Amino acid sequence: MEPLAIRTEGLTRTYRKPRKRRWWWSKSKPVGAEERDFVALDQVSLEVRPGELFGLLGPNGAGKTTLIKILTTLLAPSSGSARVDGLDVIADAELLRPRINMVSGGESSGYGILNVRENLWLFARIYGVPTAVAEERIDKMLGVVGLTDKATSRISYLSTGQRQKMNFCRGFITDPKILFLDEPTLGLDVTSARAIRTFVKDWMKERPDRTLLLTTHYMAEADELCDRLAIIDRGKVLACDTPANLKRQVQKYPIYELSLAPGHQGWGEVSKLPGVHQATTTTTPTTVELKVSLIEEPAIGAVVQALVTAGGRILTMKKVEPTLEDVFIELVGHGLTEDEGPKG
Ligand SMILES: Nc1ncnc2c1ncn2[C@@H]1O[C@H](COP(=O)(O)OP(=O)(O)OP(=O)(O)O)[C@@H](O)[C@H]1O
């Protein structure tokens, strides 16, 4: 049986806070080792199957990069275990590295005096990709991110976004079995971000044994791309499921929004109908907006019937779907865009 693409068990990583000034120099008391340890990852147990596009969603400082660094053999765990493609990230690191690749949206890697093509070629050769294959992949990837006209530019002359696109190309030219993308579209313009998302989806479809783990701050991106997601906060996994299942968890009742022409009061009876959990209205200068939550979805038929019978005119009607933002707020207690700053 094929091993899991990623498996972590009780994975924990602590960082040591800088030592406080000695107490006889200041009024602060000396701190013990346990107080100096900051837990960035706390007993994380995750399973990612081969072929999955798996997302990590969490606020700043949640521990996403720490997790990716451990999975890509760049950082040792403090305790617990992590296996990638069936290989232990510590004991089998040498065997594992050729099978994986990692790109971080915020990194500024590469040699400034080399041009874009030379940088990518050098990287491909380090991974043992034959020159002809590397050239072909580089051309393809530069086209994908719209960087073909910068192929011969020194990378020190690139803008931040262009450099990020070059790094994105770097992730794919080694054709890794398991790819880690840390914020691949961070700060990119809308068109470039869309091109990258489309490419990522196509790349995954091309070969079913590829696995991709992605972190992103963009809820819509996570929703569009990921087969499953883990929501992580303060080093702990709070939930792990498909975007659809996560959204279902927060929406206890189906909700419909109806826009009614003003001038009649039929909506007043809606909340008393069987199958209706709650009905609220907001009056605007031109409409009455009715929001109905239903205990059973078919009750929407009775709602429409009651409104029409009372002489109401329905202008628009739509079902309100919860978003991943709603899931996130429910689990974490605040939105992803609200920056709480370091929690250490
Ligand atoms: N080398 C380090 N030494 C001390 N603390 C660290 C170190 N690296 C990370 N941390 C702390 O560990 C926590 C998790 O950091 P990490 O970079 O994994 O978060 P993240 O989820 O990737 O955040 P972001 O979305 O902002 O990139 C943070 O509170 C951070 O300050």
Side-chain angles (χ1 to χ4, degrees):
M1 209 176 78
E2 203 179 345
L4 285 163
I6 297 167
R7 185 194 178 117
T8 71
E9 274 180 303
L11 195 65
T12 299
R13 170 69 205 202
T14 52
Y15 290 113
R16 185 136 287 199
K17 286 184 196 165
R19 196 177 270 275
K20 290 227 171 94
R21 280 200 295 159
R22 288 164 72 174
W23 64 275
W24 57 84
W25 291 346
S26 72
K27 285 189 178 134
S28 63
K29 288 189 182 147
V31 288
E34 67 289 348
E35 287 174 69
R36 292 210 314 274
D37 283 344
F38 170 71
V39 183
L41 274 186
D42 193 0
Q43 297 285 332
V44 168
S45 298
L46 276 178
E47 290 189 352
V48 179
R49 296 183 280 272
E52 271 194 308
L53 207 166
F54 189 90
L56 284 179
L57 208 55
N60 293 130
K64 306 178 295 294
T65 305
T66 301
L67 177 56
I68 285 192
K69 280 187 178 165
I70 293 175
L71 296 175
T72 52
T73 77
L74 297 174
L75 191 71
S78 305
S79 61
S81 68
R83 298 185 86 81
V84 176
D85 203 22
L87 299 172
D88 186 275
V89 292
I90 300 293
D92 308 315
E94 293 296 317
L95 273 175
L96 175 58
R97 284 183 193 130
R99 303 184 192 187
I100 60 174
N101 203 345
M102 192 265 246
V103 176
S104 172
E107 73 186 276
S108 54
S109 61
Y111 295 95
I113 54 158
L114 298 183
N115 68 34
V116 170
R117 180 181 291 282
E118 288 163 346
N119 260 291
L120 292 173
W121 180 84
L122 182 67
F123 187 78
R125 293 297 294 137
I126 290 170
Y127 263 71
V129 181
T131 293
V133 178
E135 295 285 358
E136 195 184 315
R137 287 184 190 158
I138 290 167
D139 284 340
K140 182 183 167 196
M141 288 310 302
L142 291 178
V144 167
V145 298
L147 219 55
T148 305
D149 61 339
K150 295 285 176 192
T152 53
S153 298
R154 276 168 68 152
I155 68 163
S156 51
Y157 300 155
L158 296 182
S159 73
T160 311
Q162 288 165 342
R163 191 181 271 246
Q164 191 175 328
K165 289 178 186 178
M166 186 198 76
N167 289 338
F168 179 79
C169 296
R170 213 200 62 217
F172 292 87
I173 55 171
T174 61
D175 194 22
K177 191 172 176 194
I178 301 173
L179 178 61
F180 297 84
L181 293 180
D182 195 3
E183 301 279 357
T185 60
L186 187 72
L188 291 186
D189 63 72
V190 176
T191 316
S192 304
R194 190 182 300 137
I196 280 181
R197 285 197 296 276
T198 305
F199 177 77
V200 162
K201 282 192 272 187
D202 291 345
W203 187 79
M204 287 298 286
K205 273 192 216 134
E206 225 171 67
R207 283 221 334 245
D209 61 331
R210 285 175 174 157
T211 304
L212 199 147
L213 187 140
L214 165 108
T215 76
T216 179
H217 271 85
Y218 304 122
M219 298 280 183
E221 180 166 283
D223 205 353
E224 179 187 336
L225 291 181
C226 299
D227 299 317
R228 286 194 307 137
L229 288 172
I231 293 183
I232 176 165
D233 186 37
R234 300 172 198 218
K236 284 185 193 291
V237 174
L238 304 182
C240 180
D241 212 328
T242 62
N245 283 346
L246 288 170
K247 286 186 266 183
R248 229 168 271 140
Q249 277 174 27
V250 294
Q251 190 170 46
K252 295 179 181 73
Y253 300 106
I255 296 173
Y256 281 81
E257 276 177 2
L258 296 94
S259 196
L260 308 169
H264 81 100
Q265 299 294 312
W267 46 263
E269 298 302 307
V270 166
S271 59
K272 297 176 195 152
L273 292 171
V276 173
H277 172 247
Q278 212 172 40
T280 55
T281 54
T282 320
T283 307
T284 74
T286 50
T287 59
V288 175
E289 301 296 323
L290 174 65
K291 195 169 181 175
V292 203
S293 62
L294 305 166
I295 298 162
E296 296 154 359
E297 185 124 28
I300 190 63
V303 171
V304 171
Q305 181 76 46
L307 290 167
V308 173
T309 308
R313 196 151 60 86
I314 299 169
L315 303 173
T316 60
M317 180 173 97
K318 65 170 192 261
K319 188 173 177 189
V320 183
E321 299 290 348
T323 62
L324 276 181
E325 184 89 28
D326 298 324
V327 178
F328 195 87
I329 290 169
E330 171 97 2
L331 291 170
V332 178
H334 61 82
L336 192 50
T337 44
E338 296 163 38
D339 188 359
E340 286 201 331
K343 299 171 188 91

